[in-house]
Amino acid sequence: MKIELNDNEIEFNLKEGQKVNEEKQIRYSKYLVISFALIAVLIIFFKLFCGGSSRNNNDVQGTVQRIADDNKQTGKSVDRAIEHVGTAADELERAEEANRRAAFILSEDKERANACAGIIVELQKNNSRAKQILTDVELSNKTRKVQK
């Protein structure tokens, strides 16, 4: 076995070894870049289709639930409003009936008041006649006394 060392050979061998190392590094760098790109694509895929959709789905479900709750509250409010309208309608009917009764009583009272007014007029006439009769009787008594 013979080992000869020349400066040119050593340099050549070093250069050849460096080339092999550089090629390995380039190859490993390519694999590393491809791995990072693949990991990034996988992360984006999972965010968009797995993690993101469940969060959006939860957001949508939460929104739907809030809308359903709001609709229930609105329904209860509408039911209470309908109940109040029904109560108001009943009160209105009772008020109309009371107004009809009051109008009937008032018309009866007007008739009675008119009848009473007629009676008063008649009594005043009778009173005037009674006064006239009394005056005539007194006059007649005075004239008889004078004649006697």
Side-chain angles (χ1 to χ4, degrees), residues 22-78:
E22 285 178 6
E23 288 175 5
K24 283 182 183 179
Q25 285 179 348
I26 291 173
R27 194 176 333 134
Y28 290 139
S29 296
K30 286 180 183 178
Y31 290 142
L32 186 64
V33 169
I34 291 171
S35 297
F36 282 139
L38 185 60
I39 289 171
V41 168
L42 288 175
I43 289 172
I44 291 171
F45 175 79
F46 282 115
K47 284 285 186 176
L48 288 176
F49 295 106
C50 296
S53 67
S54 68
R55 186 174 62 233
N56 289 341
N57 192 25
N58 288 339
D59 290 344
V60 169
Q61 287 175 350
T63 302
V64 168
Q65 184 62 41
R66 284 190 300 276
I67 290 170
D69 292 343
D70 289 346
N71 285 344
K72 286 179 186 177
Q73 289 294 344
T74 303
K76 288 177 183 178
S77 296
V78 167

Side-chain angles (χ1 to χ4, degrees), residues 92-142:
L92 182 61
E93 286 178 21
R94 283 193 287 273
E96 286 175 349
E97 180 60 30
N99 284 339
R100 280 192 294 271
R101 279 186 275 132
F104 177 74
I105 290 170
L106 184 61
S107 69
E108 282 184 342
D109 287 346
K110 282 183 181 179
E111 289 174 11
R112 286 185 190 134
N114 289 338
C116 288
I119 292 171
I120 290 171
V121 168
E122 190 67 31
L123 286 175
Q124 287 172 343
K125 287 179 185 178
N126 289 341
N127 194 18
S128 292
R129 264 188 279 143
K131 282 183 184 178
Q132 185 63 42
I133 291 172
L134 183 63
T135 306
D136 288 345
V137 168
E138 285 177 350
L139 241 150
S140 160
N141 280 339
K142 280 184 185 176

